[in-house]
Amino acid sequence: MKTVIELITEELEVAFTKAGVDTSYAKVNISNRPDLCEYQCNGAMAAAKALKKAPFMIADDVVANLQDSKLFSKIESVKPGFINMTVSPEFITGYVNEMAKTEKFGYVNAEGNKTVIVDYGGANAAKPLHVGHLRSAVIGESVKRINNYVGNKTIGDVHLGDWGLQMGLIIEELRDRKPDLCYFDESYTGEYPSEAPFTISELEEIYPAASKKSKEDTDEGRVFKERAHLSTLKLQQGDKACRALWHHIMTISKADLKKNYDNLNVSFELWKGESDAQPYIEEMVDKMIADGIAHESQGAIVVDIQEETDSKELPPCIVRKSDGAALYATSDLATLVEREKLYSPDAYVYLADKRQELHYTQFFRAAKKAGIVKPDANLTFVGFGTMNGKDGKPFKTRAGGVMRLEHLIADINEAVYNKVKDNRDVSDEEAKNISKIVGLAALKYGDLSNQASKDYVFDVDRFASFEGNTGPYILYTIVRIKSIINKYIEQGGKVEAGAILPTDKDSQKALSLSLVKFADVIDSAYHDNAPHRICQYIYEVSNAFNGFYHDTKILAEENASLKAGYVSLLDLTKRVLETCIDLLAFECPERM
């Protein structure tokens, strides 16, 4: 289904041709002056120089060729050469009727389907999720869902940090706390237990204690850190005892992480980690050296990534340290090797803090230079800003520590719960169920409504408000629409897609004009990995609906056909909003 802008553009192209003007000038935009018109074309201004003719004369000729068009109720040439257009109620109503009956409301992915890997987890094993993990998970889940919606086969990977020094630290702290475990008995030759010798609560206490101990500037601290390095090395070299403990750590960590990601309505198709890339590293680096892609520099093996077009000097990508150790870039490159082998994707999207941009530039360029991916491979880095407190600094607990994500969710749920109890007479159980759904919407919309690269202030009171540009406001709009439709059905009415009638109501047209932007918004959000555009769109649609609702006696309308048309328009609005919030990865309760 063509978009409204495409249909108007086609109409203008015919008119431009008749006026002797190249069709490339017939570009149509949504008007930035809605008080004057709905759509606008400035092509006459651009064509004036080429045609050596006054722009208003060109615009006059084009408009003269469009006087009989059924698309417009008004089209005029405005000096110095603008073409202002207002579409007819019949045209826009016909379009929304077609939208209502068409799969995906008329959206078509012109590029065809692809296989896309979205890397948006980045959590570390043995550590609980905290507020620093929020943006990657929330934005990444939405990017994945948008890719799925447009028809791509999309694979989300949590890409756990599970192979670094933290593992050695945990193993050595366990040794100090539970020295009698069989894993630390060098003479032990039996099978290691299938049950972990610790709980998730113990594990969450063990890692910070070990990390603190390793940073102490004492002989004991230095010795402990050296022991942790040795255990990490033994783990990576395949020591059976270390591997057995590592498997316990991973089993318990994954179960806890999945529970917490579930609470965010975030899921992954792959639960792979840095450890999965290890078998590919040695061969990959050796091939880079043999192919002349990597070379020795001050004892390390590096890949030069500088390009002639760079405005500043970029350091090389180190793939092997002087002591033989691998780095994050090495692991990321080897992960690409595995992903190419197993999935052969057409595109990759990586989400991480925007301060890691250099790392991704190095790693992407090294991957292409080494032939790990094709030269034209689509490798995209979506760098996000920081979630800050009201003081403008990175969000912390009142005590100044990093807040666990489950505590943040609990805080916003409580804020919503209090508002629900204040506004409605509902049971505690229902209020808690509502607050869980609405609280997640408040949290996610509060994040996603900001452009990913921008920092933003986390404000529980503002995010949980039922008014303004918030998640609860969007949900309240959907609940209101559901309530009207349910009452209509109770009165014996039937909801039919495509039964909307044209009227002269400005509020109905405003709602229709908002709805018809759907395909363009989805396409833009998809190509730019920009969920915030969907947030902007549903806020606009919600405002337009509420304007229509306050302006129209929907269920009191005496004309049955007109009433049925109103309800069909509401049904389309509801379905569009529900589709969009699903792309943002939250849901709507039955009532609020």
Side-chain angles (χ1 to χ4, degrees), residues 158-446:
V158 69
H159 197 60
L160 292 171
D162 67 346
W163 204 239
L165 179 61
Q166 80 262 30
M167 293 300 167
L169 290 169
I170 293 168
I171 290 169
E172 288 309 304
E173 181 66 14
L174 271 170
R175 186 192 302 274
D176 288 351
R177 293 183 179 213
K178 302 183 179 185
D180 295 333
L181 290 175
C182 60
Y183 309 91
F184 306 122
D185 182 354
E186 293 185 7
S187 65
Y188 185 79
T189 57
E191 291 291 323
Y192 290 110
S194 58
E195 292 294 320
F198 46 78
T199 63
I200 185 62
S201 298
E202 288 178 290
L203 191 58
E204 290 178 358
E205 180 190 330
I206 285 168
Y207 174 72
S211 179
K212 181 181 178 183
K213 190 186 293 185
S214 71
K215 293 172 184 175
E216 291 174 356
D217 189 19
T218 61
D219 289 342
E220 184 182 355
R222 286 185 283 273
V223 168
F224 182 79
K225 187 174 183 178
E226 185 58 38
R227 283 167 47 199
H229 275 292
L230 182 60
S231 281
T232 303
L233 182 62
K234 288 170 66 178
L235 168 67
Q236 295 175 355
Q237 290 177 341
D239 179 85
K240 288 185 178 180
C242 289
R243 284 290 176 96
L245 283 170
W246 176 78
H247 279 296
H248 289 318
I249 294 167
M250 293 308 301
T251 299
I252 287 180
S253 289
K254 284 182 180 180
D256 186 63
L257 287 170
K258 283 179 180 178
K259 180 189 74 176
N260 282 286
Y261 277 124
D262 282 348
N263 289 336
L264 271 179
N265 201 14
V266 168
S267 63
F268 301 92
E269 285 64 41
L270 299 178
W271 278 81
K272 287 182 172 286
E274 292 171 347
S275 58
D276 292 285
Q278 301 311 301
Y280 301 93
I281 287 178
E282 186 174 356
E283 182 181 346
M284 177 190 74
V285 176
D286 288 347
K287 186 176 186 301
M288 285 180 174
I289 296 169
D291 292 345
I293 301 299
H295 62 90
E296 190 271 335
S297 175
Q298 297 180 349
I301 303 298
V302 305
V303 177
D304 293 323
I305 59 145
Q306 189 76 30
E307 296 178 357
E308 290 182 5
T309 54
D310 292 330
S311 59
K312 60 181 180 180
E313 187 174 348
L314 295 176
C317 179
I318 302 173
V319 294
R320 184 184 286 162
K321 290 171 67 177
S322 57
D323 62 2
L327 292 93
Y328 284 123
T330 324
S331 177
D332 281 342
L333 287 164
T335 298
L336 269 183
V337 172
E338 183 189 47
R339 287 171 174 170
E340 287 289 316
K341 178 183 177 182
L342 298 179
Y343 309 106
S344 189
D346 301 295
Y348 295 87
V349 182
Y350 288 82
L351 291 104
D353 190 303
K354 65 183 179 182
R355 290 169 291 188
Q356 295 188 41
E357 184 174 7
L358 174 60
H359 164 77
Y360 283 94
T361 299
Q362 292 174 315
F363 143 53
F364 288 172
R365 290 188 181 183
K368 290 187 176 184
K369 195 170 182 180
I372 295 171
V373 296
K374 302 178 188 72
D376 62 346
N378 189 344
L379 295 165
T380 302
F381 170 58
V382 179
F384 51 79
T386 308
M387 186 182 93
N388 295 325
K390 291 181 181 179
D391 59 359
K393 298 177 182 179
F395 194 87
K396 301 280 187 182
T397 63
R398 288 188 180 89
V402 178
M403 180 176 276
R404 289 175 63 151
L405 202 47
E406 60 187 290
H407 296 159
L408 184 76
I409 294 171
D411 283 354
I412 202 158
N413 286 355
E414 183 182 1
V416 172
Y417 171 83
N418 291 333
K419 288 182 182 294
V420 171
K421 291 294 285 183
D422 287 343
N423 294 331
R424 291 192 70 95
D425 182 19
V426 294
S427 68
D428 284 352
E429 183 180 359
E430 184 179 3
K432 285 176 182 176
N433 289 335
I434 291 172
S435 67
K436 186 176 180 181
I437 297 170
V438 178
L440 185 60
L443 178 66
K444 287 195 163 190
Y445 191 91

